[in-house]
Amino acid sequence: MSSPDLADADRQAVLDVINTPFLSMGKYTKDFEKAFCDLTGAKHAISVNSGTAGLHLCVRAAGIGPGDIVITTPFSFVSSSNVILFENAIPVFVDIDPRTGNMNPELLADAAKNIKKHLPRVGATRASPKVKAILPVDVFGQPADMDAINAVAKEHGLTVIEDSCEALGATYKGKQAGTLGDYGVFAFYPNKQITTGEGGVIITDNDKAADLMRALRNQGRAPGDTWLQHTYMGYNYRIDEMSAAMGASQMTRLDELLSKREQVAAWYEARLSDIAGVEVPYVEPYTTRMSWFVYVIRFEERINRDEIAKRLEARGIPVRPYFLPIHLQPYIAEQFGYKEGDFPVTEDLGRRGLAIPFSGVMTEEQVDFVCTILREELTKI
Ligand SMILES: Cc1ncc(COP(=O)(O)O)c(C=O)c1O
């Protein structure tokens, strides 16, 4: 499906680390974090060992606890909802914009005003009556409509945690993704725009929250604590120096990495736009730079997506349905009583969307190959 784009300099950076005795909490972690402050203008960047860890620390820093309501989207990777559940808070879903797959701000505004109407069937008695935060996701590398989301947050006094795990380097009306809420989080699994193997970074301008998150990622050690003193109950969410060194090196290549992905997306668009029954990704005018994470096409209703997926796999092309709705994942559906039909736009995109092979190292010939096979198989069903 994907392949990291590593240069000799990225490999050398890791070798440099392992030739020293400093494998954790050293110079490279600081360099990596500085690269994020430089890119985004954020006051603080806090590196962690996954995007999920980063989102979890934001939930902790925002003071979200048992029964608190966080409005989020069911069209995402599960960790954007899991981090709410980690704190026994309640994710309340609103449906999405059918073109971008991002949170629908009108539904968000309605939910913030009339939360009772949007509570899940089961488990709502645990919910406090007040909404605490909004957790929008920049889906597939395209920022959510953050002006509209922030307007709702302002009206109701809510914290905004922007899940930019899929959108490093994207811009919204000229502003960097991740900087648009109170907190932003990026992730670096090997299919992401830059990779550290595993890793994540939080950005924020909030000094107090940054101090707390630095302590929580480091087993709850506050500034001044010794190695065996723990002011808070924390976690081991630290990134190691090998990962940070790879990430710092990759960050120096960010523009090149994003441009290569833009080129692959453009090759796909040119070849897929005229195939009947296939829709290519929609990019909003407000998205001043798309940071292509995956390339998800949609099929018209009449085409059986799962059948075409099977045929592509059989011909050696890996593909993946994207996303399976969060509210229908068994542990969520069971806990909150969700059923098919609850979030129709999310379910519709979940049924019709297919991620096809995508990375910055794909060649034009490989893109041609995927598109030719797709075209052939579509004529057969
Ligand atoms: C939208 C979204 N949120 C959160 C994450 C979690 O990141 P990680 O896999 O690094 O924990 C991902 C990554 O896959 C993601 O796509």
Side-chain angles (χ1 to χ4, degrees), residues 62-65 68-71 128 130-134 157-160:
I64 294 162
D68 286 338
I69 293 170
V70 181
I71 304 177
S128 68
K130 209 181 141 7
V131 180
K132 194 113 179 201
I134 309 170
L158 310 177
T159 300
V160 177

Side-chain angles (χ1 to χ4, degrees), residues 59-76:
V59 166
R60 283 282 309 266
I64 294 162
D68 286 338
I69 293 170
V70 181
I71 304 177
T72 188
T73 167
F75 191 68
S76 173

Side-chain angles (χ1 to χ4, degrees), residues 2 5 24 91 130 151 182 234 267 289 317 320 325 336 374:
S2 168
D5 186 342
S24 183
K130 209 181 141 7
D182 298 289
W267 286 331
R289 185 169 202 183
I317 297 177
R320 204 162 284 165
F336 296 110
L374 176 62

Side-chain angles (χ1 to χ4, degrees), residues 74 92-96 107 117-122 325-329 332-348 351:
V92 168
F93 297 120
V94 291
D95 216 339
I96 53 171
L107 293 175
K117 205 172 98 190
H118 294 262
L119 289 176
R121 285 182 194 89
V122 178
I326 294 180
H327 65 286
L328 299 178
Q329 300 287 346
I332 303 261
E334 207 172 286
Q335 191 172 159
F336 296 110
Y338 286 121
K339 296 204 279 273
E340 289 255 0
D342 284 341
F343 300 98
V345 184
T346 294
E347 291 165 26
D348 178 51
R351 261 191 305 271

Side-chain angles (χ1 to χ4, degrees), residues 39 47 213 215 235 241 255 288 313:
L39 173 75
S47 54
M213 292 190 287
Y235 314 91
E241 283 283 277
D255 193 53
T288 37
E313 293 272 2

Side-chain angles (χ1 to χ4, degrees), residues 50-52 55 76-77 79 137 163 165-166 187 192 199:
S50 73
T52 307
L55 289 169
S76 173
F77 185 71
S79 51
V137 177
D163 179 343
C165 287
E166 300 187 352
K192 295 291 196 302

Side-chain angles (χ1 to χ4, degrees), residues 72 91 102 122 138 143 169 243 315 327 335 341 359:
T72 188
N102 280 325
V122 178
D138 300 332
S243 303
R315 296 195 62 184
H327 65 286
Q335 191 172 159
S359 78

Side-chain angles (χ1 to χ4, degrees), residues 49-53 55 76-80 137-139 163-166 186-189 191-192 198-200 293 322-323:
N49 50 23
S50 73
T52 307
L55 289 169
S76 173
F77 185 71
V78 283
S79 51
S80 55
V137 177
D138 300 332
V139 169
D163 179 343
S164 300
C165 287
E166 300 187 352
F186 305 106
F188 316 121
Y189 187 73
N191 63 350
K192 295 291 196 302
E198 299 285 355
F293 163 51
Y322 243 81
F323 288 112

